[in-house]
Amino acid sequence: VYYITGYADFIGCNYFQNSAREAGGAIYTSGSSATHISILDSNFTANTARVGGGLYMGSGIVSQTNVMYLNNHAQSASFEVTSNVGASCTAVGNCLYSSNYPDNYNNDEYCAFRTTDSGTLSVISFLTESVYDYLKVNDVHYSGLISPDGVSVSKYSEITWRSNSTVNAQGFEICFADGANGGGMYVSSGTNTMLNAKFIDNDAVQYGGGFYIAGGANTLDDVVLTNNDAQLGGTEYYFNGGSLSATDFFITSLTEDSIAGSSSASAVCESPCSAGEYGNCSSISNAPNCYVN
């Protein structure tokens, strides 16, 4: 569903195995502040997009009541390690790393990566012995401080790395430029209201397995997050902007990786827990008035 203007009610809908290359595998909404969508008694299951596997909200008003996000995915191009000879190169999420990174790589290494889709490389860090230790991308050798930043690669491209037997250096961290966030839902702007919602078994290549909030005014009441996953942070959710007001907000299996986000984000919560309580009551990261149990 692509919706950018007017008012619409979606009642008793099941969004199953839909996909979008960019945003909103099942529903994409972005338009004027007058755009208003009401979603009632509906399920989002096994949908896929780069951001917002189930739902992407760019603006307007979205009201959700009795909804479930189950097994949705935020995916982008990523890397696979296909060979390690005398090396321990790794690929995590949509990033690849030289051996031992951020410590120095070893001498006499060879490793190979394969891309799962097309995309543009974004170099986070790159330092090798010039000329002799090189990364090969699209048949071009990169070494020293000369990196493949901004280089486009196609699906199933091979990227190889070699080091010689003398000088070594820190190596590299290289990612795909386009992130994959918000396995179940991604909110960029607007007014998002949720009542009685469940996020279960959703995942993201980067951040916010259950959902990712980048902006807007978000009010969550009776929301449960269970067994979501994100490879780089915020397995249950990632809160990076806008505002969040939550009542009866629960994460069933809280870990140190469950919640992540920016300290500039603003959250106000009402909760059965109180500051200073122990046991199963834990403070939500970057939201000192919010607790989960």
Side-chain angles (χ1 to χ4, degrees), residues 6-136:
Y7 189 102
D9 292 324
F10 300 107
I11 303 173
C13 299
N14 291 303
Y15 303 96
F16 180 65
Q17 290 188 341
N18 301 285
S19 64
R21 183 173 179 85
E22 286 299 318
I27 294 180
Y28 175 100
T29 176
S30 183
S32 69
S33 59
T35 302
H36 189 166
I37 292 178
S38 177
I39 303 170
L40 176 65
D41 298 332
S42 297
N43 299 319
F44 296 79
T45 306
N47 303 287
T48 303
R50 185 178 65 82
V51 292
L55 169 72
Y56 175 89
M57 178 180 174
S59 62
I61 300 171
V62 175
S63 302
Q64 305 183 63
T65 304
N66 301 331
V67 296
M68 181 169 67
Y69 290 82
L70 174 66
N71 195 34
N72 300 284
H73 315 286
Q75 296 180 344
S76 69
S78 58
F79 303 96
E80 300 172 340
V81 179
T82 57
S83 180
N84 262 322
V85 179
S88 54
C89 296
T90 56
V92 180
N94 67 339
C95 299
L96 59 83
Y97 303 87
S98 55
S99 298
N100 311 319
Y101 183 87
D103 296 327
N104 287 2
Y105 54 80
N106 304 314
N107 293 326
D108 297 315
E109 288 189 346
Y110 172 82
C111 61
F113 306 89
R114 183 177 65 179
T115 63
T116 63
D117 207 339
S118 60
T120 302
L121 301 182
S122 174
V123 173
I124 310 303
S125 179
F126 191 91
L127 178 62
T128 75
E129 181 189 12
S130 184
V131 180
Y132 301 104
D133 298 347
Y134 60 86
L135 191 72
K136 183 179 178 181

Side-chain angles (χ1 to χ4, degrees), residues 153-206:
V153 292
S154 59
K155 187 175 183 178
Y156 301 142
S157 291
E158 184 178 61
I159 297 173
T160 59
W161 158 252
R162 293 182 183 273
S163 65
N164 71 356
S165 60
T166 56
V167 179
N168 52 30
Q170 185 182 60
F172 49 83
E173 176 184 2
I174 301 173
C175 303
F176 276 106
D178 297 327
N181 305 310
M185 176 183 73
Y186 187 103
V187 179
S188 176
S189 183
T191 301
N192 172 47
T193 303
M194 305 190 78
L195 174 63
N196 188 22
K198 294 179 174 64
F199 292 83
I200 304 170
D201 292 335
N202 304 284
D203 60 77
V205 168
Q206 286 193 306

